Amino acid sequence: MSHILLKSCTLALAAAHITMSRGRAAFSSKPILPTLQSKTSAHEESSNGVSGSGVRVFVRKKRVKMEVETPEKEIKAEPQELKVRELPDIEEFTYRKGKRSSHLRKLESTSNEPSGGTEIISPIRPAAEPPANWEKVLEGIRKMRSSEDAPVDSMGCEKAGSSLPPKERRFAVLVSSLLSSQTKDNVTHVNAGAIQRLLQKGLLVADSIDKADEETIKSVIYPVGFYSRKATNLKKIAKICLTKYDGDIPSSLEELLLLPGIGPKMAHLVMNVAWDNVQGICVDTHVHRICNRLGWVSGKGTKQKTSSPEQTRESLQLWLPKEEWVPINPLLVGFGQTICTPLRPRCEMCGVSDLCPSAFKEASPSPSSKKTRKPGTGRDKKL
């Protein structure tokens, strides 16, 4: 009896659920309350011992509101085109103030700005504006030089060891540049000069200098300036050249500067003469003095004169065309030996004095301007 009541309750619950459904009937083949149905069937089987057919109840399936989410359009970042940056042609580096090439401006505009506002400094040092009338001055100096010979025209490092084989000649050029530093050309390069004496004694090659006694070398090169120190450096240079270069000399500016007693002026001169490789302007005291007198050079970031030949070289190379780097040295050296001399320059004979800002400013004092001393007064005292 109890199982009949349970079955009736199950049917009543199913009917109530059907009346509560709304919308269009969408019948499903799945039975409602499968747990109750299975329990009822199991109860019938246990009481009757016979398996009865289960009552299947069909209900309306609720309409499920389908929310279709429209996926956002995937915005694909288009890869930026990698622009190949080409180096500017050499013709674009012009010597004009305030004007840079369009190619360089394009590179600056397309370059990425670094984080933190860090400024990128270009490794290329900008060219300076050439001084006014420099071409007229240079042409005027050429005319003066062509009408008068100077010691540099017949004596110089390029004349050293001209009859020797290439390797020995290069070593002779190096020795000549070392001995000529702070020494007049006639002491180093004349027929009876230091280079000629070394050649006659067979001491102009690395092997013979290495084997020779230092005192012997001193006596041969005397009276060149600082002959004792130069003899010591010659011995060291010969040893290095034999050990590292098989008796030859270094072929790069950096290696030449590592040799004892060899400075920038000598290194550039040796590169030009021995290796025919122009790395920079050879600036000695004559070139340094004349360029400052003409107002061609100035200290970095200032309008003051340069204080050393190396500063003069750096300043001069900023604007002087490279085809003038080699001839500028013998041209100005000869000009400094004959007209634009260190003391009492001959401005009255100079053909470019009207273009020189230093003309007639270093003339010798007139006799009337010299102070006269009375006998027995000693030195003049400042009042």
Side-chain angles (χ1 to χ4, degrees):
M1 188 71 180
S2 59
H3 68 276
I4 296 174
L5 291 174
L6 182 61
K7 188 173 182 180
S8 299
C9 291
T10 302
L11 293 174
L13 287 172
H17 187 74
I18 293 172
T19 57
M20 294 174 64
S21 304
R22 295 180 181 179
R24 186 179 295 177
F27 294 97
S28 173
S29 60
K30 294 181 180 180
I32 299 295
L33 300 176
T35 306
L36 287 175
Q37 182 178 345
S38 61
K39 285 182 180 180
T40 306
S41 301
H43 190 72
E44 287 179 353
E45 290 175 2
S46 60
S47 60
N48 299 331
V50 180
S51 175
S53 60
V55 178
R56 300 175 66 86
V57 179
F58 297 91
V59 297
R60 290 182 187 142
K61 187 176 180 180
K62 289 184 178 181
R63 289 185 65 187
V64 181
K65 185 178 181 181
M66 301 296 293
E67 294 183 0
V68 180
E69 296 182 358
T70 305
E72 295 182 357
K73 294 182 180 180
E74 296 181 359
I75 302 175
K76 296 182 179 181
E78 297 180 357
Q80 295 181 353
E81 296 181 358
L82 297 177
K83 298 182 179 180
V84 180
R85 298 180 181 177
E86 299 177 352
L87 291 175
D89 294 331
I90 192 66
E91 288 80 4
E92 293 195 52
F93 291 96
T94 55
Y95 304 100
R96 289 176 292 181
K97 184 178 181 181
K99 293 183 180 180
R100 291 180 294 178
S101 65
S102 59
H103 190 94
L104 291 176
R105 289 195 297 270
K106 189 183 296 182
L107 286 179
E108 291 179 358
S109 63
T110 56
S111 61
N112 296 326
E113 295 183 1
S115 58
T118 305
E119 182 181 359
I120 296 177
I121 301 176
S122 173
I124 302 175
R125 192 174 177 181
E129 181 187 10
N133 301 317
W134 72 272
E135 291 175 304
K136 291 182 179 180
V137 173
L138 204 60
E139 187 59 31
I141 295 175
R142 287 195 181 101
K143 290 180 180 179
M144 288 184 283
R145 288 282 283 110
S146 63
S147 61
E148 185 178 2
D149 291 334
V152 71
D153 298 328
S154 57
M155 297 175 285
C157 295
E158 65 277 3
K159 309 292 191 303
S162 56
S163 60
L164 297 175
K167 184 168 73 171
E168 286 75 10
R169 180 183 178 273
R170 287 191 289 269
F171 186 82
V173 169
L174 178 61
V175 173
S176 176
S177 67
L178 177 65
L179 297 184
S180 63
S181 174
Q182 300 181 359
T183 305
K184 292 183 177 181
D185 287 337
N186 57 359
V187 176
T188 308
H189 299 289
V190 294
N191 293 334
I195 292 297
Q196 187 65 25
R197 293 194 299 270
L198 287 172
L199 181 62
Q200 290 173 353
K201 293 183 178 294
L203 294 176
L204 207 53
V205 290
D207 184 61
S208 58
I209 290 180
D210 181 57
K211 294 177 181 178
D213 184 72
E214 189 171 315
E215 292 300 323
T216 302
I217 299 175
K218 288 181 183 179
S219 63
V220 173
I221 66 175
Y222 178 85
V224 298
F226 305 98
Y227 68 95
S228 181
R229 185 187 305 170
K230 289 178 180 179
T232 303
N233 288 335
L234 276 178
K235 291 280 291 180
K236 294 178 180 179
I237 290 173
K239 177 68 72 176
I240 293 172
C241 290
L242 285 172
T243 305
K244 298 182 64 175
Y245 306 102
D246 191 28
D248 208 337
I249 66 172
S251 59
S252 70
L253 188 69
E254 293 75 16
E255 290 176 301
L256 283 170
L257 289 171
L258 295 177
L259 297 178
I262 301 298
K265 174 250 180 180
M266 301 181 207
H268 284 289
L269 178 62
V270 172
M271 289 298 296
N272 295 347
V273 177
W275 293 108
D276 193 23
N277 186 349
V278 181
Q279 294 288 317
I281 302 173
C282 178
V283 177
D284 64 353
T285 55
H286 292 289
V287 179
H288 171 60
R289 178 182 70 256
I290 294 170
C291 286
N292 275 286
R293 284 179 176 175
L294 292 172
W296 282 3
V297 293
S298 60
K300 187 177 180 180
T302 67
K303 293 184 179 180
Q304 303 297 323
K305 293 182 178 182
T306 56
S307 58
S308 67
E310 182 62 13
Q311 286 186 3
T312 297
R313 181 188 66 82
E314 293 176 352
S315 180
L316 194 60
Q317 287 180 182
L318 290 179
W319 61 267
L320 188 68
K322 195 167 184 178
E323 59 268 18
E324 300 288 352
W325 285 14
V326 173
I328 193 71
N329 177 267
L331 183 70
L332 295 186
V333 169
F335 182 58
Q337 290 174 340
T338 56
I339 296 178
C340 197
T341 53
L343 299 176
R344 294 181 293 276
R346 302 161 67 184
C347 298
E348 69 281 355
M349 298 182 62
C350 180
V352 294
S353 59
D354 57 331
L355 299 174
C356 177
S358 304
F360 302 101
K361 292 183 179 179
E362 298 182 27
S364 58
S366 60
S368 60
S369 64
K370 294 181 180 180
K371 294 182 180 180
T372 58
R373 297 178 183 175
K374 294 181 180 180
T377 56
R379 292 186 178 181
D380 298 328
K381 295 182 180 180
K382 291 183 179 179
L383 299 178

